[in-house]
Amino acid sequence: MKIPAFLRLTIRNVVVNTDMGTMIFMLGLPTLYLFVMGFMFQGIVPNGLRINQNGIDIPYTTFLAPGIIALQSFTAGNIGGGMLWSDRRWGMFEQIMVGPFRRFEYLLGIIFVSIFFAIVGSLIMLAFALAIPVSFNYTLIGVITFLLAIVIGTILFSSLFLIISGIAKSMQIYQTITIVLFFLLDFASTSFYSITSSTPVWLVYIADVNPLTYISNILRDSFIYGVNYQTFVSLGIIFAGMIVLFAISMRVFRNIRSGI
Amino acid sequence: MPENYIEIENLRKTYDGKKFALDGLTFNTVKGEIYGLLGKNGAGKSTSIKIMTTLIGFNSGRGSVAGYDIAKEASKIRKCIGVVQQEESYDFATVENNFKLAGLLWEVGREERDSRMSELMDLFGLEEIRKKRMFDLSGGQKKRVQVAREFMHDMKVIFLDEPTVGLDPIMRRKILDYIRQKANKGLTVLFTTQNLEEADMICDRIGIIDDGKIVEEGTSSQLKNRYGNLRTLTIWIGNDSIFSKEDIQKVFSDIEFDELDVRDNVITIITKKLEKNLGNIMSTLSNNNIQVERINVENPTLDDVFIKVVQK
Ligand SMILES: Nc1ncnc2c1ncn2[C@@H]1O[C@H](COP(=O)(O)OP(=O)(O)OP(=O)(O)O)[C@@H](O)[C@H]1O
Ligand SMILES: [Mg+2]
């Protein structure tokens, strides 16, 4: 049975990344967010924290769950795009590049492993969310936009991390950038909170250019508020962001020299 | 005419646009040959391997590996070579998984994969550490995995960039024997090392590379004859016959030598013309009633050749 080159690379990437540390980062951390933050915030308000948006009033946990699922695209993109960094660091990039592969197949291997982790991760988070329980409405169009948003978001973030992996010169630089991005993008988005009239303006600006905001909003539309015109606009925006970042990552990737 | 398996002609490569790391590299190997590339640090060994394995480009010249052009047929070359690069390279996984992943990447069927894996693990002494993660291995163990893993797949040419660095003598010997076996079955090997004894033992032909070009080439004995025809003759004489250097010099006044040394009862003669002089030396000794207990002739080593060639 012949497996195409990019799929062999994808399988390898899955195997290499299915270690304890990665799993905790990908599933453990968001689960903690979901349960701990969900219930802690619920608990600080006498009758339970509720979010009123679009004229619909929902418990905070229901609001939070799609945001946490959206984070999976960031995390999976980080794991996938970060592979280029570790492959360069541990000499496997060079090794693969003198093996039966082309550069774009390596790139596809990274994109596909990111998508794989993102989909598996978000389905697991979805299952956890249902255990809380949250009240989601399922529609076919909702499920399709959810999957689309996760896939586009993941390609966007894996491109972003491919770029960082391609230009970072040292472990310290790579990790610092990752941590800063992690905090900035995760927390200055609508993943955890809704934007209200009292949100500071500078935070609104960050949230407005933050892809996670759009992905979280799309997922909320998919599961709670219903897919509408604004949902497609958001999809269009992250799609455009994905194209731009992917193009840049291709450029950076083409110019990577062997060795660090 | 045997096929030329690696053909390199006038390769030039500069990384920074100023200094040429390869400056007219030319050599070729035939099928089943072990060709050793020897050279000082920075001579251009790894650079030439990276070019031949299509990892990096070059500025001018041409080359082919297994009949494929290194500039135009990179993906064909990559499908039929093996590479052990100088830098460490491994997957973030256990030893066993590193082998399995190599099998996956090279599309080795499961049965074939498992039988090769156990053969290689056995041979390279990796059985006890097969479940260990690469991070927990010693430097030499990592190197062993890196070399052994490359033999998970079939290939026509293998490039080995200092594959024995950090290995103990027993393991080094095992790896060299294994490479020799493979070459006898038709594998073409390009090998670099700083260990000249090792090169002497395993290489069919040696190219000495300096400043990015081959400055000497030949079999190990050809090189030694060309450069290192100085031999060292050591003579141990009977304990009761103690002579001074002057005495011995007088005795040997008819004999051509480059260097003569006498220390207690050991005479050391270094000469280019040992064959011609050996009879003379022995008869002179016996004519002068100097009792010989033991003699030893040392041939030049590849080290001598190497030092002479690259110090020119
Ligand atoms: N990535 C690089 N960028 C710039 N210069 C490089 C690079 N790699 C090698 N060089 C230079 O090219 C020359 C040849 O290096 P190369 O690595 O081929 O030497 P080598 O013979 O393999 O040495 P060693 O025995 O130390 O492994 C050196 O002068 C080195 O500094
Ligand atoms: Mg080198």
Side-chain angles (χ1 to χ4, degrees):
Chain A
M1 185 187 55
K2 280 258 183 208
I3 310 173
F6 79 91
L7 255 179
R8 298 202 302 276
L9 285 167
T10 308
I11 299 171
R12 168 216 173 232
N13 295 348
V14 173
V15 173
V16 172
N17 275 308
T18 7
D19 62 305
M20 214 42 184
T22 312
M23 289 304 112
I24 289 175
F25 180 53
M26 213 182 87
L27 297 175
L29 207 58
T31 310
L32 278 180
Y33 283 157
L34 188 61
F35 285 92
V36 178
M37 286 183 85
F39 289 116
M40 287 298 247
F41 276 122
Q42 286 279 57
I44 52 177
V45 177
N47 292 323
L49 180 61
R50 298 185 74 83
I51 304 282
N52 193 319
Q53 206 172 286
N54 306 337
I56 300 172
D57 183 67
I58 50 171
Y60 178 65
T61 44
T62 301
F63 175 84
L64 180 63
I68 298 293
I69 297 170
L71 290 185
Q72 292 298 326
S73 61
F74 176 86
T75 314
N78 183 359
I79 293 170
M83 276 216 76
L84 172 61
W85 166 259
S86 53
D87 281 346
R88 291 175 75 203
R89 175 71 183 77
W90 303 113
M92 280 310 288
F93 178 65
E94 286 79 4
Q95 193 69 38
I96 289 170
M97 285 300 114
V98 295
F101 303 102
R102 295 160 197 265
R103 278 201 172 204
F104 83 90
E105 289 167 335
Y106 179 86
L107 202 61
L108 281 185
I110 288 209
I111 302 282
F112 274 73
V113 76
S114 310
I115 293 175
F116 173 81
F117 277 129
I119 289 183
V120 171
S122 32
L123 290 180
I124 293 176
M125 295 322 294
L126 188 59
F128 284 159
L130 295 181
I132 283 185
V134 297
S135 46
F136 280 177
N137 307 314
Y138 301 100
T139 56
L140 181 63
I141 179 95
V143 172
I144 292 172
T145 43
F146 151 64
L147 288 175
L148 260 178
I150 288 292
V151 170
I152 294 172
T154 304
I155 298 178
L156 184 152
F157 285 118
S158 53
S159 302
L160 179 66
F161 283 99
L162 274 169
I163 296 169
I164 300 166
S165 293
I167 57 182
K169 291 273 186 286
S170 74
M171 185 83 116
Q172 281 75 9
I173 295 176
Y174 179 77
Q175 281 177 344
T176 309
I177 297 179
T178 305
I179 290 170
V180 170
L181 273 182
F182 178 79
F183 274 93
L184 200 65
L185 294 188
D186 275 19
F187 292 104
S189 72
T190 54
S191 294
F192 296 99
Y193 340 95
S194 60
I195 288 183
T196 67
S197 51
S198 37
T199 309
V201 174
W202 62 274
L203 267 176
V204 176
Y205 282 143
I206 295 180
D208 274 351
V209 295
N210 185 346
L212 268 180
T213 298
Y214 296 92
I215 302 170
S216 304
N217 292 349
I218 295 168
L219 297 200
R220 282 193 187 107
D221 291 345
S222 302
F223 293 128
I224 302 165
Y225 303 119
V227 176
N228 55 61
Y229 173 71
Q230 189 54 43
T231 320
F232 291 113
V233 172
S234 298
L235 266 177
I237 291 172
I238 59 166
F239 186 77
M242 174 195 90
I243 296 288
V244 170
L245 285 175
F246 187 71
I248 299 175
S249 77
M250 291 274 278
R251 245 197 119 74
V252 169
F253 185 68
R254 253 209 308 275
N255 295 328
I256 291 180
R257 294 256 209 84
S258 62
I260 291 184
Chain B
M1 252 293 276
E3 282 171 86
N4 275 344
Y5 238 57
I6 302 176
E7 244 185 283
I8 297 299
E9 211 180 294
N10 230 345
L11 273 192
R12 299 187 83 204
K13 162 78 184 176
T14 170
Y15 287 100
D16 54 9
K18 285 176 238 141
K19 194 185 163 295
F20 279 86
L22 295 187
D23 196 359
L25 186 78
T26 301
F27 74 95
N28 52 56
T29 73
V30 295
K31 191 171 185 327
E33 182 178 38
I34 302 184
Y35 188 93
L37 214 44
L38 307 186
K40 291 185 291 197
N41 294 135
K45 301 179 295 296
S46 301
T47 301
S48 55
I49 288 190
K50 285 177 187 164
I51 292 175
M52 291 183 269
T53 56
T54 77
L55 186 63
I56 60 174
F58 52 97
N59 300 87
S60 64
R62 58 164 296 277
S64 68
V65 170
Y68 300 119
D69 190 285
I70 53 174
K72 298 189 200 104
E73 296 174 296
S75 58
K76 285 185 183 151
I77 292 178
R78 291 177 194 178
K79 287 195 174 107
C80 65
I81 60 171
V83 184
V84 174
Q85 59 187 36
Q86 183 174 12
E87 292 77 26
E88 60 179 17
S89 112
Y90 49 82
D91 272 321
F92 226 68
T94 59
V95 172
E96 184 177 316
N97 275 345
N98 267 269
F99 280 83
K100 287 187 174 165
L101 288 171
L104 167 76
L105 292 182
W106 283 93
E107 295 184 281
V108 183
R110 185 178 292 260
E111 266 174 44
E112 178 71 17
R113 180 196 77 185
D114 288 344
S115 80
R116 275 189 202 195
M117 188 161 81
S118 62
E119 183 202 356
L120 287 166
M121 287 205 166
D122 197 38
L123 193 79
F124 289 81
L126 301 171
E127 264 318 327
E128 307 119 74
I129 53 169
R130 72 186 286 162
K131 296 282 177 206
K132 274 198 169 183
R133 296 183 63 81
M134 290 302 292
F135 274 103
D136 302 328
L137 302 188
S138 73
Q141 287 171 329
K142 281 182 200 155
K143 196 80 200 183
R144 257 144 71 178
V145 174
Q146 193 186 344
V147 177
R149 182 187 64 183
E150 207 48 32
F151 288 98
M152 284 297 288
H153 64 94
D154 289 320
M155 60 212 132
K156 292 181 178 166
V157 187
I158 190 163
F159 297 85
L160 299 155
D161 199 351
E162 304 195 19
T164 55
V165 170
L167 299 185
D168 63 59
I170 300 170
M171 192 43 63
R172 177 176 301 194
R173 196 53 178 261
K174 274 192 184 166
I175 289 188
L176 295 179
D177 285 347
Y178 186 72
I179 294 169
R180 171 44 71 195
Q181 258 180 43
K182 290 275 173 188
N184 290 347
K185 287 186 193 142
L187 178 68
T188 306
V189 181
L190 193 118
F191 184 84
T192 80
T193 179
Q194 299 291 356
N195 182 325
L196 302 189
E197 217 176 300
E198 180 175 294
D200 199 357
M201 189 178 116
I202 191 174
C203 296
D204 296 312
R205 263 182 333 134
I206 287 167
I208 298 181
I209 178 174
D210 200 32
D211 282 337
K213 54 181 162 296
I214 302 280
V215 288
E216 264 308 333
E217 191 182 55
T219 65
S220 156
S221 51
Q222 282 169 348
L223 291 180
K224 287 177 199 163
N225 285 337
R226 216 173 292 162
Y227 277 87
N229 47 3
L230 281 182
R231 309 273 190 95
T232 307
L233 173 68
T234 314
I235 304 167
W236 284 264
I237 55 180
N239 248 340
D240 42 338
S241 38
I242 301 283
F243 294 87
S244 70
K245 189 168 177 173
E246 286 73 34
D247 294 336
I248 296 288
Q249 260 166 352
K250 219 176 284 167
V251 169
F252 283 161
S253 56
D254 289 342
I255 292 172
E256 271 183 65
F257 52 78
D258 290 72
E259 235 179 284
L260 179 104
D261 194 34
V262 181
R263 208 158 284 167
D264 297 335
N265 58 335
V266 182
I267 304 170
T268 309
I269 297 169
I270 300 181
T271 171
K272 284 200 185 78
K273 303 192 169 138
L274 187 66
E275 286 83 355
K276 203 178 116 200
N277 285 327
L278 190 59
N280 256 344
I281 293 171
M282 298 318 287
S283 55
T284 308
L285 287 169
S286 85
N287 291 346
N288 288 277
N289 285 329
I290 300 171
Q291 187 201 337
V292 175
E293 297 209 321
R294 187 152 70 89
I295 70 165
N296 179 46
V297 178
E298 257 176 60
N299 285 321
T301 62
L302 210 47
D303 280 47
D304 303 329
V305 177
F306 184 77
I307 290 166
K308 278 198 184 156
V309 173
V310 302
Q311 273 183 351
K312 278 200 299 201

